[in-house]
Amino acid sequence: MEGLPEFYVLCNTCEPPVRLHRLPSDSQESFQLSAPVLPSLSSQLLLFSVGDWSGLSHDSKYEVQLEATGGKKITLGTLSRESRCFIWDCDSCKDLTCMLKDSKVHVAILIQGQLHHKKNEPKQESRKRKRLKGEEENICPNKGLVKGDTAKSKNKNSKSAPLPKPVAVAKTTNGISGVPSGRWGHTLCPADSETVILIGGQGTRMQFCKDSMWKLKTEKNTWFPLETVADGSTPEARTGHTAVFDPESCRIYVFGGSKNKKWFNDVHILDTEAWRWRSVEAQGKVPPLSYHSCSLFQGELFVYGGVFPRPNPQPDGCSDSVYIFDPQHEIWYQPIVLGKKPSARSGHTASLLNRELYIFGGWDTPLCYNDLFLLDLGLMEFSPVEVNGISPSPRSWHSAASVSDISFLIYGGYDGNQALTDTHMFNTVTKTWTALVHKSLPRSPRAGYAMLTLPAVQEESKDCSPQELLIFGGGDNEGQFYSDTVRLQITDIVNL
């Protein structure tokens, strides 16, 4: 049928891919494809599509299943216009051995969406965007490090590093009471158009915050302890995790992080309508990660980088991989990523504008970075960005926020020597960095804080453009942890 892609599965690297043949369907709105019986399975399966997608609605997806005689099925993942290939790890499936016993196995694909019926409808091509030219894991950034410029060395005797100094007074600003204790390494996440959720963090004397979860009602500028119920366990106290809100499902996804020598690769889901937590027993493999980035795109979570534990005597290491979590089927998988990817790092930022993900900065001991990379989530291709103007100095543990459809802003962070106070904006059209100086911007050196734009979710208004920046917490790398809440009008700082 014209306007529909073809599908292939690669079961063995020593043999060519197997093309899936279309089968007749009882419904005009859906169809099924089936591959020949698979004689054997290797450790991984590669599923990919080739050809035209114009005969499908834009939001159509293909659900890929492994089927066996007797009606047994395992969901492998989804293919879409923006994500046309993925790798499935056979070893990650606990039920596969039982499924293969005395069974014939084949791959089936079922469309989720609608076919276009207009014969003369112009084809929608997937157009390539313009190519842009080009230890301990949860400690205060300077603990165990020797001061230097841009390249830093790790202190082998971490016990000699000074502990942070306690904070005597919690600060407040803009009329918002500083009820949550001072902390860094936490997350801020919207829950609706008037609610922001604070999760986790680490405070004075490197203690994990006992008041781990808070709710900020942005209309009244008031903090409340977050009261929820749980079907399973709630997220354990942690730092370096990520929290992402999906406005379509009204859910917050919390992934990863660390607590002392304990590392996490768990996924917890908060239903913001019922205020109920649920822990996920996901299929697939993803390592424990902390200080990674996580972005929501087309209903899936894209995780990049982060630091992960290695067995002694080796130190912790950083990741340069991309992992995708499919919430619908609760599985992890790794996409095929093309191009020149960034070096391994943690403590970086990832700013999503349309389908372009901009990775800036980060840290992999002893180096601190200030390079900028673009990951096209439609093509799954990395490319370095050749920027105009003066780039911000190398840093990690900063934060970033998109302030328009073509620009994002970064502030503060840690350069391996000290916490920073500067603010910079990047324009994705002109490829230009601009330093911002304004009296409304925070003046205190700040790293490990959390920042997002408001309104992050607009339910009634059609105008979803960001109006304000919200900043909470962080530390000055000299032992002080902030508990102030700062709200800034974006027009005050970007229209200089």
Side-chain angles (χ1 to χ4, degrees), residues 129-148:
R129 291 182 178 271
K130 183 178 180 181
R131 176 64 51 226
L132 300 182
K133 302 178 181 179
E135 142 216 279
E136 291 179 334
E137 77 292 346
N138 51 9
I139 56 178
C140 225
N142 68 341
K143 183 182 177 183
L145 297 177
V146 179
K147 291 188 176 183

Side-chain angles (χ1 to χ4, degrees), residues 449-461:
Y449 64 95
M451 178 172 68
L452 53 73
T453 55
L454 297 174
V457 181
Q458 281 283 11
E459 295 174 341
E460 299 179 356
S461 174

Side-chain angles (χ1 to χ4, degrees), residues 188-197 216 218-219 243-248 250-252 296 352 400-403 405 451-470 487-488 490:
L188 285 180
C189 186
D192 56 44
S193 60
E194 298 178 355
T195 308
V196 173
I197 304 302
L216 174 65
T218 58
E219 184 179 8
V244 177
F245 177 64
D246 181 2
E248 295 295 326
C250 296
R251 293 176 175 179
I252 293 176
L296 178 72
L352 180 61
S402 299
V403 293
D405 291 337
M451 178 172 68
L452 53 73
T453 55
L454 297 174
V457 181
Q458 281 283 11
E459 295 174 341
E460 299 179 356
S461 174
K462 294 182 180 179
D463 181 14
C464 295
S465 59
Q467 304 296 322
E468 291 182 279
L469 282 178
L470 174 67
R487 292 178 67 168
L488 306 172
I490 290 179

Side-chain angles (χ1 to χ4, degrees), residues 189-244:
C189 186
D192 56 44
S193 60
E194 298 178 355
T195 308
V196 173
I197 304 302
L198 167 66
I199 300 175
Q202 197 173 22
T204 59
R205 301 190 182 279
M206 304 314 298
Q207 298 297 311
F208 285 85
C209 299
K210 294 182 179 179
D211 56 333
S212 181
M213 299 183 191
W214 289 83
K215 178 192 298 184
L216 174 65
K217 300 302 291 184
T218 58
E219 184 179 8
K220 297 183 179 180
N221 292 341
T222 306
W223 284 102
F224 299 95
L226 178 60
E227 297 179 357
T228 62
V229 294
D231 292 337
S233 59
T234 58
E236 187 175 343
R238 62 190 65 194
T239 185
H241 54 287
T242 50
V244 177

Side-chain angles (χ1 to χ4, degrees), residues 247-304:
E248 295 295 326
S249 63
C250 296
R251 293 176 175 179
I252 293 176
Y253 296 90
V254 177
F255 168 69
S258 53
K259 181 182 181 181
N260 297 323
K261 294 183 178 180
K262 187 173 183 179
W263 297 73
F264 301 99
N265 65 346
D266 52 356
V267 177
H268 293 264
I269 300 176
L270 176 60
D271 184 332
T272 61
E273 294 180 329
W275 293 109
R276 180 180 294 272
W277 282 103
R278 179 173 68 88
S279 59
V280 176
E281 295 184 4
Q283 298 184 42
K285 289 184 178 181
V286 63
L289 291 171
S290 191
Y291 307 111
H292 52 282
S293 61
C294 184
S295 306
L296 178 72
F297 178 72
Q298 295 290 325
E300 295 183 312
L301 303 181
F302 288 71
V303 172
Y304 170 74

Side-chain angles (χ1 to χ4, degrees), residues 397-409:
W397 292 292
H398 54 290
S399 191
S402 299
V403 293
S404 74
D405 291 337
I406 61 170
S407 59
F408 63 89
L409 176 148

Side-chain angles (χ1 to χ4, degrees), residues 322-342:
V322 177
Y323 296 90
I324 299 178
F325 179 70
D326 178 354
Q328 181 178 358
H329 301 102
E330 298 185 350
I331 60 173
W332 285 99
Y333 65 94
Q334 277 191 272
I336 298 175
V337 181
L338 306 175
K340 181 181 179 181
K341 62 183 179 180

